[in-house]
């Protein structure tokens, strides 16, 4: 039985699991909502948008409105796989994109999010299909 995805406990569990997964770089992955694309077609990019704690949420939102961040992010051809609020840290966004779109993502962040957030980028890959195959073999 799955808990409601909107419950505070579910969100806290998902956030904690995300932190654990990101702490293990050799196994880092985004939650897979669909089968992974063939290798080389897309990549996953996890972005930490760390809150500038010298600003209120209203100030950060005003900055995002001024820069048009919500209109320009994500760029065309980029899929948002997950977008979580991590209390005390900021926002954690995982994108799936063709490698050719990496520059567009970088520019959208630089032009829109900088000034409201400090950013960190972590390229990742979907380990789930590999894990499932290894698990099936071990049964």
């Amino acid at each position: 039985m799955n808990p409601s995805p909107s419950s505070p406990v579910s969100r806290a569990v998902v956030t904690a699991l995300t932190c654990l997964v990101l702490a293990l770089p050799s196994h880092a992955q985004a939650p897979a909502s669909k089968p992974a694309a063939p290798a080389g077609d897309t990549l996953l990019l996890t972005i930490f948008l760390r809150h500038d704690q010298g600003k209120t949420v209203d100030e950060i939102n005003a900055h995002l409105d001024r820069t048009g961040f919500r209109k320009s992010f994500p760029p065309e051809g980029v899929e948002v796989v997950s977008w979580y609020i991590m209390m005390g840290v900021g926002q954690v966004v995982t994108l799936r994109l063709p490698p050719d779109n990496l520059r567009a993502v970088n520019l959208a962040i630089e032009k829109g999010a900088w000034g409201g957030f400090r950013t960190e980028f972590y390229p990742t890959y979907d380990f789930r299909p590999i894990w499932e195959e290894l698990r099936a073999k071990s049964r």
Side-chain angles (χ1 to χ4, degrees), residues 3 13 19 23 26-27 29 43 46 54 71 73 75 85 90 93 98-99 102 105 112 114 117 121-122:
V13 169
C19 289
S26 65
H27 295 103
Q29 67 185 33
L43 61 95
T46 300
K71 292 178 183 174
F73 188 84
I85 299 293
V93 183
L102 187 58
V105 170
W114 284 8
F117 298 101
F121 297 85
Y122 299 94

Side-chain angles (χ1 to χ4, degrees), residues 29-111:
Q29 67 185 33
S33 58
K34 63 182 183 181
D41 290 348
T42 63
L43 61 95
L44 295 173
L45 181 65
T46 300
I47 305 170
F48 273 50
L49 300 170
R50 294 190 176 271
H51 288 146
D52 178 345
Q53 293 185 355
K55 295 181 178 176
T56 66
V57 172
D58 290 338
E59 290 170 324
I60 293 170
N61 283 328
H63 173 82
L64 298 177
D65 290 342
R66 271 192 316 279
T67 63
F69 178 69
R70 292 184 183 98
K71 292 178 183 174
S72 65
F73 188 84
E76 179 115 7
V78 176
E79 173 193 357
V80 174
V81 176
S82 64
W83 196 318
Y84 293 102
I85 299 293
M86 190 178 294
M87 291 174 53
V89 175
Q91 300 179 26
V92 181
V93 183
T94 301
L95 307 173
R96 180 178 286 114
L97 61 139
D100 292 348
N101 286 18
L102 187 58
R103 181 174 187 271
V105 170
N106 184 55
L107 288 173
I109 293 289
E110 288 178 352
K111 291 178 178 180

